[in-house]
Amino acid sequence: MTTPRDPRAARLAHLAALVADGTRAVCLLALLDGRAWTAGELARYAGVAPSTLTGHLDRLVTGGLLAEERQGRHRYVRLAGPRAAQLVEELAAWSGPADLPRRGGLRAATADSAMARARTCYDHLAGRLGIALTDALADRGLLLRETGFALTGAGLEWFAANGIALDPGGRRPLARACLDWTERRPHLAGAAGAALCRHALETGWCARIGSERAVRVTAAGERALRDLLGVPPDALR
Amino acid sequence: MTTPRDPRAARLAHLAALVADGTRAVCLLALLDGRAWTAGELARYAGVAPSTLTGHLDRLVTGGLLAEERQGRHRYVRLAGPRAAQLVEELAAWSGPADLPRRGGLRAATADSAMARARTCYDHLAGRLGIALTDALADRGLLLRETGFALTGAGLEWFAANGIALDPGGRRPLARACLDWTERRPHLAGAAGAALCRHALETGWCARIGSERAVRVTAAGERALRDLLGVPPDALR
DNA sequence: GGGACGGTTCGGTCCCGGCCGAAGTTTCCC
DNA sequence: GGGAAACTTCGGCCGGGACCGAACCGTCCC
């Protein structure tokens, strides 16, 4: 990576270089689940020696993509924030919207199908569930989708009426599109997407399956989504 | 760049590697002006030997970031499309929203100030002009901005009423936010931003200054923007 | 036809950085 | 206190890839 005169280009190249290594890319994609991983977990997952991973994490943290937290003898890392997550998503969406990796075996296949049905994508909901929610919000005039991606006035009221706090403080956009790599259609992300996901997990509309990214919609969740948004239960299966 | 087992991560790393070189980054930023450059121009601009640049262009074209067109003994390259431009923008915005490069000298300073006033950003308008247009559209209820970024129904009518064709065919979003690196505020991009920019240049509201990215607002443009959108002429200076 | 010009191919150099294992350091827990 | 576990530091190895100059190939134009 030759460093040019132009400092702007140098910073751009430096940032891209953080992602431009296979091992680091594996880590970043894993961290897209929004949780904090320990260095050891990531090393095993990526298939490299712990000492190798230390160096990678140093670079990613220094570069601002990851945030770290030391607890005793553990080093926890997670994506630095929604913007970092968005950056990784965006690059991942460009680089291969196609084929989700078939890892072979029945167990893998069921895991994949659960992921395709409903999962978290950093801090919001994705998979068929994410699409169904986005469709429902758009159909009811709560979300503009064809001409961009924004909550309408009615949408703001709907969130307020249902007690889903929208955290107006942040500089982060309330609604933005996130391109799903199984469905290949945009679904709701941004502060509103995150609030909806948080609410769904807190009130028990959804529950995490094991410690994975996949979630399942509970019976209560099916009822709530049907009553509040008119989501047909079929759309969630 | 070690290549991992996971093909998804491999593609991600491969894409990032295209940007992760200083010389290629210089080229990509230069090409953000939306025009087609010859290989020689880029080589001189980046300060490397023509033979070196040939290799870089090969990689960028193969990787899908650039499109090329051969004309006689010239090799013209430009960004492959709006999505490629958006990707570069996004990375650039993350890597350094700060200080625009002061290149020293009076000539450079005037060029910079013209750029800050009004310029193109790939295919739409940026700088203070871009912000002023975005503000005006939002103030008149034609564009939602606080809750995301989308044209309203009134906005669609406004474009139609003023004969600005919106090219509904493409899969590209009608409105999206582009983060300006001089103003540090989002302005209108996407198909609507591109249509507005095209219209402004075609009808003579704006004219390119030399062959640069900078544009100036004509007297006719000032009148039109004031009458159609209530843009105060001061906002353009 | 004959330069000049723009671009490409090739060979050779060099350095950055990813990888590992071995030896340290800190924390945890018995 | 002692041993195991999690991580880090260091030294050494190795490959990819960025760079250049020289030679080569079309194209343009006089």
Side-chain angles (χ1 to χ4, degrees):
Chain A
M1 180 189 91
T2 325
T3 310
R5 299 273 178 276
D6 181 357
R8 195 172 155 69
R11 284 198 302 267
L12 172 57
H14 183 75
L15 170 67
L18 292 179
V19 190
D21 170 81
T23 302
R24 286 196 295 269
V26 166
C27 295
L28 290 170
L29 288 177
L31 289 163
L32 260 193
D33 70 355
R35 293 179 309 156
W37 292 51
T38 68
E41 283 169 341
L42 281 174
R44 277 188 301 277
Y45 181 79
V48 297
S51 59
T52 301
L53 204 87
T54 294
H56 287 309
L57 293 186
D58 288 346
R59 291 192 62 175
L60 289 170
V61 169
T62 307
L65 281 183
L66 298 190
E68 76 179 350
E69 203 168 330
R70 310 267 179 162
Q71 270 181 27
R73 57 184 168 181
H74 293 282
R75 179 189 204 179
Y76 285 97
V77 292
R78 53 187 163 71
L79 290 174
R83 277 203 64 193
Q86 182 181 350
L87 197 72
V88 176
E89 261 170 29
E90 208 106 24
L91 284 163
W94 167 285
S95 66
D99 57 339
L100 70 169
R102 285 265 155 250
R103 285 163 310 185
L106 180 58
R107 178 121 162 263
T110 27
D112 280 354
S113 92
M115 289 272 283
R117 195 177 307 120
R119 66 171 180 279
T120 55
C121 176
Y122 188 59
D123 60 1
H124 57 272
L125 294 165
R128 281 199 293 284
L129 171 60
I131 298 289
L133 287 172
T134 306
D135 284 347
L137 289 166
D139 288 349
R140 305 203 131 200
L142 307 178
L143 175 72
L144 285 181
R145 178 173 53 172
E146 302 303 327
T147 61
F149 236 82
L151 285 186
T152 60
L156 283 175
E157 285 164 24
W158 184 88
F159 273 83
N162 289 285
I164 308 177
L166 272 180
D167 169 36
R171 322 200 82 268
R172 163 177 200 208
L174 219 44
R176 47 166 274 262
C178 173
L179 193 52
D180 198 297
W181 80 77
T182 54
E183 297 293 319
R184 316 203 44 177
R185 291 178 53 197
H187 57 259
L188 178 65
L196 195 53
C197 175
R198 191 174 353 104
H199 186 77
L201 287 169
E202 279 173 4
T203 59
W205 293 356
C206 301
R208 290 201 181 271
I209 300 178
S211 62
E212 294 284 328
R213 304 176 56 175
V215 299
R216 67 185 168 79
V217 180
T218 63
E222 274 195 9
R223 274 196 307 278
L225 294 177
R226 190 193 51 213
D227 297 346
L228 294 177
L229 283 173
V231 177
D234 303 350
L236 307 176
R237 295 198 179 113
Chain B
M1 180 188 93
T2 326
T3 309
R5 299 270 179 281
D6 180 357
R8 197 172 151 69
R11 284 198 302 268
L12 172 57
H14 183 75
L15 169 66
L18 292 179
V19 190
D21 170 81
T23 302
R24 287 195 293 271
V26 165
C27 294
L28 290 170
L29 288 177
L31 289 163
L32 260 193
D33 70 355
R35 294 178 308 156
W37 292 51
T38 67
E41 283 169 342
L42 280 174
R44 277 188 301 276
Y45 181 77
V48 295
S51 60
T52 301
L53 204 88
T54 294
H56 287 309
L57 294 186
D58 288 347
R59 290 192 63 174
L60 290 170
V61 169
T62 307
L65 281 183
L66 298 190
E68 75 179 351
E69 204 169 328
R70 310 265 179 164
Q71 269 180 28
R73 56 184 167 179
H74 293 281
R75 178 189 203 178
Y76 285 96
V77 292
R78 51 186 165 72
L79 290 174
R83 280 205 62 194
Q86 182 180 348
L87 197 72
V88 176
E89 262 170 31
E90 208 106 22
L91 284 162
W94 167 285
S95 65
D99 57 337
L100 71 168
R102 286 264 156 250
R103 286 164 307 186
L106 179 60
R107 178 121 164 259
T110 27
D112 280 352
S113 92
M115 290 271 284
R117 194 177 309 122
R119 66 172 179 277
T120 55
C121 176
Y122 188 59
D123 60 2
H124 57 274
L125 294 166
R128 280 200 293 284
L129 171 61
I131 299 289
L133 287 171
T134 306
D135 284 347
L137 288 165
D139 289 348
R140 306 204 130 199
L142 308 178
L143 175 72
L144 285 182
R145 177 174 53 172
E146 302 303 327
T147 61
F149 235 83
L151 285 186
T152 61
L156 283 176
E157 285 164 22
W158 184 88
F159 274 83
N162 288 284
I164 309 178
L166 273 180
D167 170 34
R171 323 199 83 268
R172 144 178 218 215
L174 220 44
R176 48 166 272 264
C178 173
L179 193 53
D180 199 297
W181 79 77
T182 53
E183 298 293 319
R184 314 201 47 176
R185 292 177 54 197
H187 57 259
L188 177 66
L196 195 53
C197 175
R198 191 175 353 104
H199 187 76
L201 287 169
E202 279 173 2
T203 58
W205 293 354
C206 301
R208 289 201 182 271
I209 300 179
S211 61
E212 295 284 328
R213 302 176 58 176
V215 300
R216 66 185 170 78
V217 180
T218 63
E222 275 196 11
R223 274 196 306 277
L225 294 178
R226 189 192 53 213
D227 297 346
L228 294 177
L229 284 173
V231 177
D234 304 350
L236 306 176
R237 295 197 179 116

